[in-house]
Short mmCIF file of all heavy atoms in Angstrom, two decimals:
data_model
loop_
_atom_site.label_atom_id
_atom_site.label_comp_id
_atom_site.label_asym_id
_atom_site.label_seq_id
_atom_site.Cartn_x
_atom_site.Cartn_y
_atom_site.Cartn_z
N SER A 1 97.28 88.59 97.80
CA SER A 1 97.04 89.69 98.72
C SER A 1 96.10 89.27 99.85
O SER A 1 95.15 88.51 99.62
CB SER A 1 96.45 90.89 97.98
OG SER A 1 97.33 91.37 97.00
N THR A 2 96.38 89.75 101.02
CA THR A 2 95.47 89.56 102.14
C THR A 2 94.52 90.75 102.19
O THR A 2 94.61 91.67 101.39
CB THR A 2 96.24 89.44 103.46
OG1 THR A 2 96.89 90.69 103.75
CG2 THR A 2 97.30 88.35 103.35
N MET A 3 93.63 90.76 103.12
CA MET A 3 92.71 91.88 103.29
C MET A 3 93.24 92.90 104.29
O MET A 3 92.54 93.85 104.65
CB MET A 3 91.35 91.35 103.74
CG MET A 3 90.71 90.37 102.76
SD MET A 3 90.38 91.11 101.16
CE MET A 3 88.95 92.10 101.59
N SER A 4 94.48 92.70 104.70
CA SER A 4 95.09 93.60 105.67
C SER A 4 95.95 94.66 104.98
O SER A 4 96.70 94.35 104.05
CB SER A 4 95.95 92.80 106.66
OG SER A 4 96.55 93.62 107.61
N VAL A 5 95.83 95.92 105.43
CA VAL A 5 96.60 97.03 104.87
C VAL A 5 98.00 97.02 105.49
O VAL A 5 98.14 97.06 106.71
CB VAL A 5 95.90 98.37 105.15
CG1 VAL A 5 96.74 99.53 104.61
CG2 VAL A 5 94.50 98.38 104.52
N SER A 6 99.03 96.95 104.64
CA SER A 6 100.40 96.97 105.15
C SER A 6 101.03 98.36 105.08
O SER A 6 101.93 98.67 105.85
CB SER A 6 101.27 95.96 104.39
OG SER A 6 101.41 96.34 103.03
N LYS A 7 100.56 99.20 104.14
CA LYS A 7 101.14 100.53 103.99
C LYS A 7 100.10 101.48 103.42
O LYS A 7 99.29 101.10 102.58
CB LYS A 7 102.36 100.47 103.07
CG LYS A 7 103.16 101.77 103.00
CD LYS A 7 104.44 101.57 102.17
CE LYS A 7 105.27 102.85 102.15
NZ LYS A 7 106.54 102.64 101.38
N VAL A 8 100.12 102.71 103.88
CA VAL A 8 99.23 103.75 103.39
C VAL A 8 100.08 104.86 102.79
O VAL A 8 100.97 105.40 103.46
CB VAL A 8 98.33 104.31 104.50
CG1 VAL A 8 97.45 105.44 103.95
CG2 VAL A 8 97.47 103.21 105.11
N TYR A 9 99.83 105.20 101.51
CA TYR A 9 100.60 106.24 100.83
C TYR A 9 99.94 107.60 101.02
O TYR A 9 98.70 107.70 101.08
CB TYR A 9 100.73 105.92 99.34
CG TYR A 9 101.54 104.67 99.05
CD1 TYR A 9 100.91 103.46 98.78
CD2 TYR A 9 102.93 104.72 99.07
CE1 TYR A 9 101.65 102.33 98.52
CE2 TYR A 9 103.68 103.57 98.81
CZ TYR A 9 103.03 102.39 98.54
OH TYR A 9 103.77 101.25 98.29
N GLU A 10 100.77 108.64 101.11
CA GLU A 10 100.27 109.99 101.29
C GLU A 10 99.47 110.46 100.08
O GLU A 10 98.53 111.25 100.21
CB GLU A 10 101.42 110.96 101.55
CG GLU A 10 102.13 110.75 102.89
CD GLU A 10 101.26 111.10 104.07
OE1 GLU A 10 100.38 111.99 103.93
OE2 GLU A 10 101.42 110.47 105.14
N CYS A 11 99.84 109.96 98.88
CA CYS A 11 99.13 110.33 97.65
C CYS A 11 99.17 109.15 96.70
O CYS A 11 99.99 108.24 96.85
CB CYS A 11 99.76 111.57 96.99
SG CYS A 11 101.43 111.29 96.40
N ILE A 12 98.29 109.15 95.71
CA ILE A 12 98.27 108.02 94.77
C ILE A 12 99.37 108.15 93.71
O ILE A 12 99.63 107.18 92.98
CB ILE A 12 96.90 107.89 94.09
CG1 ILE A 12 96.55 109.14 93.28
CG2 ILE A 12 95.82 107.59 95.10
CD1 ILE A 12 95.26 109.01 92.48
N GLU A 13 100.02 109.32 93.61
CA GLU A 13 101.12 109.50 92.66
C GLU A 13 102.47 109.21 93.28
O GLU A 13 103.52 109.48 92.70
CB GLU A 13 101.14 110.94 92.12
CG GLU A 13 99.92 111.34 91.30
CD GLU A 13 98.84 111.95 92.16
OE1 GLU A 13 99.03 111.98 93.41
OE2 GLU A 13 97.80 112.38 91.62
N ALA A 14 102.49 108.60 94.49
CA ALA A 14 103.74 108.35 95.19
C ALA A 14 104.63 107.41 94.40
O ALA A 14 104.16 106.48 93.72
CB ALA A 14 103.45 107.76 96.57
N ASP A 15 105.97 107.65 94.48
CA ASP A 15 106.92 106.77 93.81
C ASP A 15 107.16 105.53 94.66
O ASP A 15 106.51 105.32 95.69
CB ASP A 15 108.23 107.51 93.52
CG ASP A 15 108.89 108.08 94.78
OD1 ASP A 15 108.61 107.57 95.89
OD2 ASP A 15 109.71 109.02 94.64
N SER A 16 108.09 104.67 94.21
CA SER A 16 108.34 103.41 94.91
C SER A 16 108.82 103.62 96.33
O SER A 16 108.65 102.75 97.20
CB SER A 16 109.36 102.57 94.13
OG SER A 16 110.57 103.29 93.95
N ALA A 17 109.45 104.77 96.60
CA ALA A 17 109.92 105.07 97.95
C ALA A 17 108.84 105.72 98.80
O ALA A 17 109.06 106.00 99.99
CB ALA A 17 111.14 105.97 97.88
N GLY A 18 107.66 105.97 98.21
CA GLY A 18 106.56 106.59 98.96
C GLY A 18 106.56 108.10 98.93
O GLY A 18 105.75 108.72 99.63
N ASN A 19 107.43 108.72 98.13
CA ASN A 19 107.51 110.18 98.05
C ASN A 19 106.47 110.73 97.09
O ASN A 19 106.25 110.18 96.00
CB ASN A 19 108.91 110.62 97.61
CG ASN A 19 109.98 110.14 98.58
OD1 ASN A 19 109.83 110.24 99.80
ND2 ASN A 19 111.09 109.61 98.04
N CYS A 20 105.82 111.83 97.48
CA CYS A 20 104.78 112.44 96.67
C CYS A 20 105.29 113.69 95.97
O CYS A 20 106.10 114.43 96.53
CB CYS A 20 103.58 112.82 97.53
SG CYS A 20 102.70 111.42 98.24
N PRO A 21 104.85 113.95 94.73
CA PRO A 21 105.21 115.20 94.07
C PRO A 21 104.59 116.39 94.79
O PRO A 21 103.56 116.26 95.48
CB PRO A 21 104.65 115.02 92.66
CG PRO A 21 103.60 113.98 92.78
CD PRO A 21 104.01 113.08 93.88
N SER A 22 105.21 117.54 94.64
CA SER A 22 104.71 118.74 95.30
C SER A 22 103.30 119.09 94.84
O SER A 22 102.99 119.06 93.66
CB SER A 22 105.66 119.92 95.00
OG SER A 22 105.19 121.11 95.59
N GLY A 23 102.44 119.36 95.79
CA GLY A 23 101.08 119.76 95.48
C GLY A 23 100.12 118.63 95.19
O GLY A 23 98.94 118.88 94.90
N ALA A 24 100.58 117.40 95.28
CA ALA A 24 99.70 116.26 95.02
C ALA A 24 98.64 116.15 96.11
O ALA A 24 98.94 116.29 97.29
CB ALA A 24 100.51 114.97 94.94
N PRO A 25 97.39 115.90 95.73
CA PRO A 25 96.33 115.75 96.74
C PRO A 25 96.56 114.48 97.57
O PRO A 25 97.17 113.51 97.10
CB PRO A 25 95.05 115.65 95.91
CG PRO A 25 95.50 115.16 94.57
CD PRO A 25 96.86 115.72 94.35
N VAL A 26 96.04 114.49 98.79
CA VAL A 26 96.20 113.32 99.65
C VAL A 26 95.44 112.14 99.05
O VAL A 26 94.46 112.32 98.31
CB VAL A 26 95.72 113.60 101.08
CG1 VAL A 26 96.55 114.70 101.72
CG2 VAL A 26 94.24 113.93 101.11
N SER A 27 95.90 110.95 99.36
CA SER A 27 95.26 109.75 98.84
C SER A 27 93.89 109.55 99.49
O SER A 27 93.64 110.03 100.60
CB SER A 27 96.14 108.53 99.10
OG SER A 27 96.21 108.27 100.50
N PRO A 28 92.99 108.81 98.79
CA PRO A 28 91.69 108.50 99.40
C PRO A 28 91.85 107.78 100.75
O PRO A 28 91.04 107.98 101.65
CB PRO A 28 91.02 107.60 98.36
CG PRO A 28 91.63 108.04 97.05
CD PRO A 28 93.05 108.36 97.38
N ALA A 29 92.88 106.93 100.89
CA ALA A 29 93.08 106.20 102.13
C ALA A 29 93.41 107.15 103.29
O ALA A 29 92.89 106.99 104.40
CB ALA A 29 94.20 105.17 101.96
N ILE A 30 94.30 108.13 103.03
CA ILE A 30 94.64 109.12 104.06
C ILE A 30 93.41 109.94 104.44
O ILE A 30 93.12 110.17 105.62
CB ILE A 30 95.78 110.03 103.58
CG1 ILE A 30 97.10 109.25 103.51
CG2 ILE A 30 95.92 111.25 104.48
CD1 ILE A 30 97.67 108.88 104.85
N ALA A 31 92.66 110.36 103.41
CA ALA A 31 91.48 111.17 103.66
C ALA A 31 90.43 110.41 104.48
O ALA A 31 89.72 111.00 105.30
CB ALA A 31 90.87 111.64 102.33
N ALA A 32 90.36 109.09 104.26
CA ALA A 32 89.37 108.29 104.97
C ALA A 32 89.82 107.89 106.37
O ALA A 32 89.01 107.49 107.20
CB ALA A 32 89.04 107.04 104.16
N GLY A 33 91.14 107.97 106.62
CA GLY A 33 91.66 107.59 107.93
C GLY A 33 92.09 106.14 108.04
O GLY A 33 92.21 105.59 109.14
N LEU A 34 92.35 105.46 106.88
CA LEU A 34 92.86 104.09 106.91
C LEU A 34 94.26 104.08 107.51
O LEU A 34 95.07 104.97 107.26
CB LEU A 34 92.90 103.49 105.50
CG LEU A 34 91.66 102.74 105.01
CD1 LEU A 34 91.82 102.39 103.54
CD2 LEU A 34 91.41 101.46 105.82
N LEU A 35 94.57 103.01 108.28
CA LEU A 35 95.86 102.88 108.92
C LEU A 35 96.47 101.52 108.61
O LEU A 35 95.74 100.54 108.37
CB LEU A 35 95.72 103.03 110.44
CG LEU A 35 95.20 104.37 110.97
CD1 LEU A 35 95.05 104.31 112.49
CD2 LEU A 35 96.12 105.51 110.56
N PRO A 36 97.81 101.42 108.61
CA PRO A 36 98.45 100.11 108.48
C PRO A 36 97.96 99.17 109.58
O PRO A 36 97.85 99.57 110.74
CB PRO A 36 99.94 100.42 108.62
CG PRO A 36 100.07 101.84 108.19
CD PRO A 36 98.81 102.52 108.65
N GLY A 37 97.64 97.94 109.21
CA GLY A 37 97.10 96.97 110.16
C GLY A 37 95.60 96.82 110.09
O GLY A 37 95.06 95.83 110.61
#
């Protein structure tokens, strides 16, 4: 792994396609404002 972010998921329960279950809280990365790159 590099230290570069390639993808940010909407929630930590996201499936392999990145889809989140209904009502799942946002991921810590989204809440913090992390972005790909």
Side-chain angles (χ1 to χ4, degrees):
S1 298
T2 66
M3 300 299 285
S4 180
V5 178
S6 65
K7 188 174 182 178
V8 178
Y9 295 99
E10 292 292 330
C11 65
I12 61 175
E13 296 90 356
D15 58 23
S16 57
N19 300 316
C20 293
S22 178
V26 297
S27 68
I30 289 290
L34 270 172
L35 298 177

